[in-house]
């Protein structure tokens, strides 16, 4: 099974983790700050656990991405993958920057529209869109529907005809490349459930161009998530370019190439692909094809912009081991339990951060052994009430949280310069059972 390629490199230090994240800084007086706001102040007013995002970092990342694509001379358009973080404040901020959206459900489509993202800039992906979801997509007249099978294509054709609409369709092709990422987030190998097999692409495109209510406009692919190497992109895009040429030779129109998402982030400060590198790979594959390039970045845009702020409940010594027990748990941030994900964890207090370190396991209070954020992590002594920030929690964080152990949803805060706003109030306990019905 895919182990992280960097498993043997030593963990970065607390100072190195902070230094690599420009929106975070350690102040002697105020402790850890995000932009100009001390995280301790947010904890005082909102409590913990709390998700905190940097608006400045999100804008800077969006602009860095579009800048790199522009510098490469590409006609490229990011459609933010809403599933990474679907909060309306995040969607609205990206909409103001000009982003479109990539959605995978009725709920995400409605969220994107509620945030004001124009329907024409919405792409709908996913292996199982229901009839009702396809109807909504056609009613809203969204920009593009990425179909993942012949079965779905025929279903969409029948629905479009019944509604007297034309669906702009982009078949998602499975290029059969291994993205070299974690087993649970690989999507572009022949054995994965996603997309249309490469060998069937031409026949499916031909069928799409004959079917009523369908207008095929391009080709899409998405090979996985947390990809830290450009080689799988190069391989996948090379195959997609080959397909575009073959389709055009047969007389088909191909205007759009949707390159999907998946660009990874350096959770462990490990080296990874640069934006210029990715733009170069896209350009090398498609520059002479005169296509509009779509991208579906999720994690890369929002992941590094967020932290999960938590308090230490107590430090427990058992059988010679140290456990730092937090008030955040796997129901808040499931990535370590679900994908063996590594997240940086840094103390918020400046005195804490400067203390001598020793290995400890960082765990939550949920009754599961997998409720473990980190094992053998070098951290200072952290007494009850000490604050820690779990880094790079902006993507696949809050959206994946659950009420397991009857734990309410954590609060969420957006920091912008020296301003900060509670963008989701902490859920009251009563909301946990508000919609439950006890039969008489
Ligand atoms: C999840 C997903 C993305 C975003 O992936 P990231 O790794 O967050 O960039 C993009 N496109 C599709 C089709 C997806 O399913």
């Amino acid at each position: 099974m895919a182990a992280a390629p960097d498993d043997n490199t030593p963990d970065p230090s607390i100072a190195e983790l902070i230094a690599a994240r420009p929106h975070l800084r350690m102040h002697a007086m105020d402790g850890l700050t995000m932009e100009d706001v001390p995280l301790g102040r947010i904890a005082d007013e909102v409590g913990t656990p709390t998700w905190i995002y940097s608006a400045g970092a999100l804008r800077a990342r969006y602009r860095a991405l579009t800048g790199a694509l522009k510098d490469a001379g590409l006609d490229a358009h990011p459609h933010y993958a809403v599933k990474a973080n679907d909060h309306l404040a995040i969607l609205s901020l990206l909409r103001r920057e000009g982003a479109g959206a990539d959605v995978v459900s009725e709920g995400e489509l409605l969220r994107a529209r509620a945030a004001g993202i124009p329907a024409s800039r919405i792409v709908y992906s996913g292996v199982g869109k229901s009839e009702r979801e396809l109807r909504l997509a056609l009613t809203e007249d969204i920009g593009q529907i990425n179909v993942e099978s012949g079965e779905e294509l025929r279903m969409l054709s029948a629905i479009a005809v019944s509604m007297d609409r034309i669906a702009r369709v982009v078949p998602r092709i499975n290029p059969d490349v291994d993205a070299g990422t974690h087993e649970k987030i690989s999507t572009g190998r022949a054995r994965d459930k996603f997309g249309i097999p490469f060998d069937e692409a031409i026949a499916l495109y031909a069928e799409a161009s004959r079917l009523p209510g369908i207008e095929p406009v391009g080709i899409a692919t998405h090979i996985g998530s947390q990809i830290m190497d450009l080689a799988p992109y190069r391989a996948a895009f090379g195959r997609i370019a080959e397909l575009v040429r073959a389709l055009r030779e047969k007389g088909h129109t191909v205007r759009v190439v949707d390159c999907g998402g998946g660009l990874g982030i350096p959770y462990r400060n490990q080296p990874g692909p640069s934006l210029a590198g990715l733009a170069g790979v896209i350009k090398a594959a498609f520059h002479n094809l005169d296509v509009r390039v779509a991208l579906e970045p999720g994690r890369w845009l929002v992941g590094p912009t967020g932290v999960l702020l938590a308090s230490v409940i107590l430090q427990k010594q058992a059988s010679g081991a140290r456990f730092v027990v937090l008030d955040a748990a796997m129901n808040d941030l499931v990535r370590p339990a679900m994908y063996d994900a590594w997240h940086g964890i840094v103390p918020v207090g400046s005195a804490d951060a400067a203390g001598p370190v020793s290995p400890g396991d960082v765990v939550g209070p949920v009754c599961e052994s997998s409720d473990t954020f980190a094992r053998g992590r070098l951290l200072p002594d952290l007494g009850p009430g000490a604050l820690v920030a779990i880094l790079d929690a902006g993507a696949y964080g809050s959206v994946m949280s659950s009420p397991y152990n009857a734990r309410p949803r954590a609060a969420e805060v957006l920091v912008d310069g020296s301003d900060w706003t509670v963008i989701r109030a902490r859920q009251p306990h009563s909301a946990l059972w508000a919609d439950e019905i006890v039969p008489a």
Side-chain angles (χ1 to χ4, degrees):
M1 219 213 41
D6 51 337
D7 264 1
N8 295 320
T9 56
D11 288 349
S13 69
I14 291 163
E16 287 165 342
L17 286 167
I18 295 169
R21 287 156 181 78
H23 51 297
L24 299 179
R25 220 163 301 167
M26 185 60 80
H27 281 270
M29 295 290 290
D30 291 336
L32 191 65
T33 59
M34 179 182 281
E35 303 194 37
D36 300 326
V37 179
L39 297 185
R41 192 184 306 157
I42 295 174
D44 286 346
E45 295 191 27
V46 184
T48 55
T50 295
W51 306 93
I52 308 175
Y53 313 111
S54 160
L58 185 52
R59 274 186 218 108
R61 295 183 76 78
Y62 187 83
R63 290 172 194 176
L65 175 64
T66 50
L69 295 166
K70 199 162 166 226
D71 288 349
L74 290 164
D75 175 25
H77 304 265
H79 295 86
Y80 168 61
V82 170
K83 73 175 190 280
N85 186 325
D86 65 14
H87 196 291
L88 289 182
I90 301 289
L91 299 180
S92 300
L93 190 152
L94 289 169
R95 187 249 306 151
R96 284 194 293 273
E97 292 294 313
D102 171 53
V103 303
V104 295
S105 70
E106 182 178 8
E108 286 190 359
L109 174 49
L110 294 171
R111 267 187 183 276
R113 295 292 291 126
I117 295 175
S120 62
R121 291 201 196 146
I122 298 179
V123 173
Y124 199 145
S125 303
V127 69
K129 307 174 200 76
S130 68
E131 176 171 344
R132 175 188 151 115
E133 290 178 312
L134 291 172
R135 274 187 192 282
L136 176 68
L138 290 171
T139 304
E140 292 280 333
D141 196 22
I142 66 166
Q144 169 186 326
I145 301 178
N146 291 1
V147 302
E148 299 219 10
S149 62
E151 292 82 351
E152 180 178 48
L153 179 67
R154 280 160 231 139
M155 188 167 142
L156 179 59
S157 166
I159 297 167
V161 168
S162 77
M163 295 175 69
D164 200 19
R165 298 257 175 174
I166 302 289
R168 282 172 296 276
V169 157
V170 170
R172 171 172 171 184
I173 305 305
N174 183 331
D176 194 18
V177 302
D178 191 334
T181 188
H182 190 282
E183 179 68 22
K184 290 183 187 170
I185 49 176
S186 259
T187 59
R189 303 163 303 181
R191 66 176 180 279
D192 296 321
K193 71 175 177 181
F194 298 98
I196 291 150
F198 189 80
D199 298 341
E200 296 166 24
I202 292 179
L204 186 115
Y205 210 92
E207 183 181 357
S209 60
R210 286 191 305 267
L211 278 173
I214 300 287
E215 181 194 4
V217 297
I219 290 292
T221 195
H222 170 70
I223 56 175
S225 198
Q226 186 51 19
I227 298 168
M228 290 304 275
D229 179 0
L230 290 174
Y233 281 121
R234 204 172 284 120
F237 298 165
R239 300 205 78 187
I240 297 299
E242 190 189 307
L243 188 56
V244 172
R245 287 196 190 87
L247 287 166
R248 285 182 173 168
E249 266 165 35
K250 295 200 182 300
H252 295 296
T253 302
V254 184
R255 293 198 301 268
V256 176
V257 168
D258 182 341
C259 295
L263 192 59
I265 57 172
Y267 288 98
R268 272 175 88 170
N269 284 11
Q270 70 271 42
S274 67
L275 290 175
L278 179 69
V281 168
I282 295 171
K283 185 171 172 144
F286 304 119
H287 75 282
N288 53 7
L289 288 179
D290 187 27
V291 285
R292 178 181 206 273
V293 173
L295 291 165
E296 302 168 352
R299 185 193 312 271
W300 190 89
L301 282 174
V302 287
T305 71
V307 303
L308 176 58
L309 185 67
S311 300
V312 174
I313 297 176
L314 52 80
Q315 245 182 156
K316 163 179 167 167
Q317 304 286 341
S319 315
R322 171 167 75 125
F323 296 91
V324 181
V325 186
L326 304 182
D327 63 356
M330 66 185 288
N331 75 294
D332 302 302
L333 177 65
V334 77
R335 298 190 66 259
M338 189 156 156
Y339 311 113
D340 308 311
W342 193 101
H343 281 264
I345 301 176
V346 300
V348 170
S350 57
D352 287 342
V357 297
S358 65
D361 287 6
V362 183
V363 304
V366 160
C367 304
E368 301 278 345
S369 300
S370 57
D371 186 22
T372 298
F373 291 117
R375 288 189 197 282
R377 193 62 65 85
L378 290 176
L379 284 169
D381 188 47
L382 290 165
L387 292 170
V388 298
I390 304 179
L391 305 182
D392 304 327
Y396 307 106
S398 170
V399 280
M400 291 182 116
S401 61
S402 83
Y404 188 40
N405 278 212
R407 290 171 50 87
R409 268 193 98 141
E412 292 181 90
V413 166
L414 185 67
V415 167
D416 197 353
S418 54
D419 292 335
W420 59 278
T421 311
V422 177
I423 57 171
R424 185 197 303 271
R426 188 175 308 286
Q427 190 181 31
H429 281 99
S430 57
L432 291 173
W433 54 81
D435 54 2
E436 293 178 12
I437 293 156
V438 181

